[in-house]
Amino acid sequence: KGISTITEFFTENLANKILLTKGKFRVIFSANVTLNIIDLHDYMRGINTLLEDKGVFITEDPYLLNILETNAYDQIYDEHIWYFSLTSLTNLFNMHGLEIFDAEKEDVHGGSMRVYVSKKGIYNKTLKLMKYLEEEKQKNLHITNPYFDFAKRIEENKIKFTNLIQNFKNQGKKIVGYAAASKGTVVQNFCNLDNKIIDYISDSTPYKQGLYTPGKHIPITSPEYFHNDNPDHAVLFAWNHAKEIIEKEQEFLKKGGRFIVHLPEPRILESEFETHSDTTKSSDLIEGIELKPLKIFANDQGYLFETLRNDDKIYGGEFGQVLISEIYPGIIKGFHLHEKHDEYTVCVKGNIKY
């Protein structure tokens, strides 16, 4: 693609060298990198050095809440130094004069969070970000209980998974693995799955073929070998790509083969696994229904959005205004007064006092 590439670790020192030759940047992007960096503060100083005053740093990594809720213990291995929540990232960026102003969940790696970061006070924080942060509070990511619960669940998961595999083995079924990924290495060693249980692992990466998995020494073969062998079951170690793999391996399924996954719960995947998609189109809307974008206001105290206003054309100026708001726990908000003010208020949850 002709993109200039520097083969060095990104540090504050390297950032200063880049600054001299390239200047500052409007956008800096990082995907599945930040969680691997040992010295985060040196990394942050480098980002700050190269980011324009109104520039945006976009970074994406596996999301801690997804790891906990999907029992994704296979995300935990030596390369991954950190496991980020939005709260922890907020604290980190705050130390360096930066702040998150938007965030969005991604399906990559079984659940990632992409965050948009700028220097403080440049951009308004979005409603979506506020809701994600509130969700973390409600699910107690800031205390230790969810992590002890996670540890308990993965021990239970290990027992269920090994029992499932052993039952098939006792029936004389041939069991192989699919995808020699880092995640799979964690599972094989944690669950003690060796080459007496998993005959081999099929992987499409040529340089892995003919080698063995770390720790359990399971041979790695080509997809062609897998297709000609017709095993009974394949443990899908790349479970986060299950939909794509199942669509690709329809022939294996037609021959009676089945995939096994260990997360979120050990089970057999059926051939129709998650191939259903939302087919709703704009043309499916009821005739006469009009979609109206909502005007949203959000800050660190809560959010508010307007559903109806008297200047909406469908009301001809004869209607007042309807607002929906949510105030975060611990925040007290007061209503402002008008000289002429008729109002109906409904409190869905919590307390309200006039």
Side-chain angles (χ1 to χ4, degrees):
K1 299 293 183 179
I3 299 172
S4 178
T5 304
I6 301 172
T7 52
E8 292 183 41
F9 289 112
F10 184 82
T11 61
E12 183 182 15
N13 184 51
L14 178 59
N16 284 320
K17 292 178 183 177
I18 295 172
L19 182 64
L20 292 174
T21 58
K22 303 288 186 181
K24 296 196 173 191
F25 294 84
R26 185 177 299 173
V27 176
I28 301 174
F29 181 68
S30 160
N32 303 302
V33 171
T34 306
L35 80 164
N36 298 323
I37 294 176
I38 296 173
D39 191 345
L40 286 176
H41 297 292
D42 182 64
Y43 174 62
M44 288 293 106
R45 289 192 294 270
I47 296 295
N48 235 331
T49 297
L50 291 178
L51 197 63
E52 290 183 358
D53 287 344
K54 291 187 177 181
V56 177
F57 172 46
I58 305 170
T59 183
E60 177 183 308
D61 288 288
Y63 182 40
L64 179 60
L65 184 57
N66 283 109
I67 292 174
L68 297 179
E69 292 189 335
T70 60
N71 298 326
Y73 63 86
D74 55 0
Q75 286 278 20
I76 302 172
Y77 53 90
D78 61 324
E79 283 183 27
H80 293 175
I81 310 299
W82 311 99
Y83 305 91
F84 296 117
S85 64
L86 275 174
T87 304
S88 63
L89 284 174
T90 297
N91 294 336
L92 172 64
F93 292 128
N94 186 58
M95 295 177 192
H96 296 273
L98 301 169
E99 65 181 2
I100 303 171
F101 65 87
D102 196 9
E104 56 186 349
K105 292 182 179 179
E106 301 290 334
D107 293 332
V108 179
H109 293 299
S112 296
M113 182 66 80
R114 180 180 296 170
V115 300
Y116 298 81
V117 181
S118 68
K119 296 186 178 181
K120 285 189 174 180
I122 301 298
Y123 300 106
N124 293 328
K125 294 180 180 178
T126 65
L127 168 64
K128 188 166 48 177
L129 170 64
M130 297 302 172
K131 294 196 76 169
Y132 287 155
L133 285 167
E134 178 60 23
E135 181 183 21
E136 290 187 1
K137 286 182 185 178
Q138 296 295 329
K139 294 184 176 178
N140 293 321
L141 290 199
H142 59 292
I143 62 176
T144 57
N145 290 3
Y147 307 97
F148 285 116
D149 292 341
F150 172 71
K152 182 180 178 182
R153 288 197 307 275
I154 64 173
E155 289 293 344
E156 293 169 350
N157 181 289
K158 174 182 177 178
I159 294 169
K160 292 177 184 176
F161 184 54
T162 52
N163 285 345
L164 179 65
I165 297 290
Q166 194 58 55
N167 285 339
F168 285 130
K169 206 69 181 174
N170 292 342
Q171 296 170 28
K173 304 290 187 181
K174 185 169 188 175
I175 302 173
V176 303
Y178 193 102
S182 300
K183 288 181 172 66
T185 299
V186 173
V187 177
Q188 293 147 30
N189 285 276
F190 179 60
C191 297
N192 197 28
L193 303 176
D194 57 20
N195 52 23
K196 296 182 178 64
I197 299 172
I198 307 291
D199 289 28
Y200 61 84
I201 295 177
S202 169
D203 195 281
S204 60
T205 311
Y207 72 80
K208 293 182 182 181
Q209 295 163 12
L211 301 179
Y212 296 83
T213 62
K216 293 304 176 183
H217 310 295
I218 303 170
I220 302 171
T221 69
S222 67
E224 290 74 24
Y225 186 91
F226 168 71
H227 294 147
N228 293 328
D229 188 44
N230 298 324
D232 298 296
H233 294 88
V235 179
L236 190 50
F237 290 118
W239 61 273
N240 50 310
H241 298 293
K243 181 180 178 182
E244 304 96 291
I245 291 170
I246 282 184
E247 288 175 351
K248 185 173 74 172
E249 298 295 351
Q250 285 297 306
E251 193 61 32
F252 168 66
L253 297 171
K254 288 175 183 176
K255 291 178 180 178
R258 287 293 178 267
F259 285 107
I260 302 171
V261 291
H262 60 291
L263 298 179
E265 289 292 328
R267 67 196 190 281
I268 305 296
L269 292 183
E270 297 303 325
S271 57
E272 67 272 15
F273 172 78
E274 274 83 298
T275 55
H276 308 293
S277 59
D278 185 1
T279 57
T280 303
K281 304 179 183 65
S282 58
S283 59
D284 295 330
L285 293 173
I286 300 171
E287 185 178 353
I289 293 294
E290 186 174 320
L291 297 180
K292 176 195 171 186
L294 298 180
K295 191 171 184 180
I296 300 172
F297 307 88
N299 57 29
D300 56 2
Q301 297 179 335
Y303 62 88
L304 174 149
F305 59 88
E306 301 174 340
T307 58
L308 301 175
R309 288 178 56 95
N310 63 356
D311 54 4
D312 287 341
K313 61 181 181 179
I314 60 174
Y315 292 107
E318 297 179 0
F319 197 83
Q321 188 176 26
V322 176
L323 305 174
I324 296 178
S325 66
E326 179 170 326
I327 310 302
Y328 296 142
I331 301 296
I332 298 175
K333 297 281 283 186
F335 294 95
H336 61 277
L337 297 176
H338 296 267
E339 185 175 337
K340 182 179 179 182
H341 195 144
D342 294 324
E343 184 176 86
Y344 296 93
T345 302
V346 177
C347 180
V348 178
K349 182 179 180 181
N351 300 290
I352 190 168
K353 182 178 180 180
Y354 271 100

